């Protein structure tokens, strides 16, 4: 397992990685700053202020950006499979593929709201289920429907975009987009089946490919992170390698 998060701190883009038994931080030049051992596999990473939020399948670990363990939250629901965590100024969003729900927590760990109940349920065929906070708006990958949905922090669905297919702007096969991140220009998405990374605008329209002709294993999508959309990081768990892409 290899997952990636990136934070713009002190005007430098520090990189945070999680694996089967560690959380580590890198400088923008990929030199290691610190490495913290963990008892469980890290499934996702988000950074807000001076705190790194790293998920296992059942827990959220809080670590300082200088590599000191702070505390842990959870476990939450039974049968949890936490696949994504996203941190904003006010809230922390957690995607749980086991229970097919998104939980919104306050920064002290208190539950605030929940999405994926009643008529607006998420169809999650496998353990790919991503969420991203942007201000007070949540973006959620409803992978069984091959789309990204927009939700309020109060749990109201506002809109959606995406369709199945092999066209550049569509999402092919099952469980896509497997990963995505929000950038100022729109979104960066990563797919499985056809293992490609691409940029979409705020309306969900195709802009350009980051990587479409590659040797990546089709069934192993790359986890992605970016702050400004100019440098895009992609973590490949198949070969334990982090790739860095620069937009021209």
């Amino acid at each position: 397992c290899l997952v990636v998060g990136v934070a713009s701190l002190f005007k430098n883009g520090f990189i945070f990685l999680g694996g089967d038994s560690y959380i580590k931080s890198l400088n923008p030049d990929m030199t290691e700053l610190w490495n913290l051992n963990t008892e469980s596999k890290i499934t996702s990473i988000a950074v807000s202020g001076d705190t790194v939020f790293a998920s296992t399948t059942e827990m959220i670990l809080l670590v300082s950006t200088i590599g000191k363990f702070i505390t842990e939250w959870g476990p939450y629901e039974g049968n949890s499979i936490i696949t994504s965590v996203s941190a904003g100024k006010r809230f922390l969003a957690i995607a749980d593929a086991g229970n097919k729900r998104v939980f919104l927590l306050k920064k002290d760990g208190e539950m605030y709201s929940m999405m994926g109940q009643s008529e607006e349920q998420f169809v999650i065929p496998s353990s790919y289920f991503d969420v991203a906070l942007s201000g007070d708006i949540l973006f959620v990958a409803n992978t069984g429907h091959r789309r990204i949905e927009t939700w309020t922090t109060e749990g109201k669905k506002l809109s959606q975009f995406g369709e199945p297919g092999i066209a550049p702007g569509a999402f092919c096969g099952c469980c896509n987009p497997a990963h995505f991140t929000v950038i100022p220009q729109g979104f960066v998405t990563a797919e499985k089946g056809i293992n490609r990374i691409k940029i979409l605008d705020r309306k969900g329209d195709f802009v350009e490919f980051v990587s479409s002709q590659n040797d990546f294993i089709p069934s192993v999508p790359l986890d992605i992170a970016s702050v400004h959309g100019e440098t895009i990081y992609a973590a490949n768990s198949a070969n334990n390698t982090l790739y860095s892409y620069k937009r021209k």
Side-chain angles (χ1 to χ4, degrees):
C1 179
L2 184 68
V3 294
V4 62
V6 63
S8 182
L9 304 172
F10 310 111
K11 298 184 180 180
N12 290 319
F14 294 124
I15 305 160
F16 299 88
L17 293 174
D20 285 339
S21 59
Y22 67 85
I23 303 167
K24 68 171 62 175
S25 177
L26 309 178
N27 272 315
D29 63 3
M30 303 290 188
T31 57
E32 185 174 302
L33 292 170
W34 52 262
N35 189 324
L36 180 67
N37 291 331
T38 60
E39 294 181 359
S40 302
K41 179 176 70 175
I42 302 303
T43 61
S44 65
I45 283 183
V47 187
S48 178
D50 59 0
T51 305
V52 179
F53 299 89
S55 68
T56 69
T57 56
E58 298 179 334
M59 308 279 289
I60 304 296
L61 309 181
L62 280 67
V63 177
S64 73
T65 49
I66 59 172
K68 303 298 183 183
F69 177 79
I70 300 171
T71 189
E72 61 185 27
W73 295 345
Y76 294 98
E77 300 278 317
N79 303 314
S80 287
I81 304 173
I82 299 174
T83 52
S84 180
V85 60
S86 180
K89 290 182 179 180
R90 298 175 56 208
F91 299 110
L92 184 77
I94 299 172
D96 180 349
N99 292 289
K100 300 177 173 59
R101 293 187 183 166
V102 171
F103 301 96
L104 198 66
L105 309 181
K106 296 179 181 179
K107 281 301 190 67
D108 60 1
E110 180 185 351
M111 187 74 68
Y112 181 78
S113 62
M114 184 187 306
M115 282 128 268
Q117 306 173 87
S118 63
E119 303 91 30
E120 297 291 355
Q121 295 183 4
F122 300 114
V123 179
I124 310 299
S126 66
S127 57
Y128 292 102
F129 187 26
D130 231 350
V131 63
L133 266 170
S134 181
D136 284 340
I137 294 295
L138 286 94
F139 298 98
V140 184
N142 198 336
T143 57
H145 288 304
R146 272 86 84 198
R147 68 192 185 206
I148 293 175
E149 300 176 352
T150 305
W151 291 72
T152 69
T153 53
E154 305 297 329
K156 179 182 179 182
K157 182 182 169 184
L158 299 176
S159 62
Q160 64 189 44
F161 69 82
E163 61 183 9
I166 61 172
F171 299 119
C172 179
C174 168
C175 319
N176 281 312
H179 298 292
F180 77 93
T181 190
V182 178
I183 57 174
Q185 305 89 334
F187 305 86
V188 185
T189 67
E191 296 167 78
K192 64 190 291 285
I194 299 179
N195 200 332
R196 57 189 183 180
I197 304 169
K198 62 196 178 191
I199 295 173
L200 308 176
D201 66 19
R202 281 286 180 175
K203 296 180 180 179
D205 294 328
F206 177 77
V207 176
E208 64 181 328
F209 282 117
V210 176
S211 176
S212 60
Q213 303 296 321
N214 52 59
D215 297 324
F216 301 145
I217 297 172
S219 61
V220 184
L222 277 66
D223 190 33
I224 48 179
S226 182
V227 174
H228 303 298
E230 302 304 322
T231 301
I232 296 162
Y233 297 97
N236 189 348
S237 59
N239 59 6
N240 205 39
T241 299
L242 178 67
Y243 299 89
S244 174
Y245 297 92
K246 276 277 193 181
R247 293 190 72 185
K248 295 180 179 179

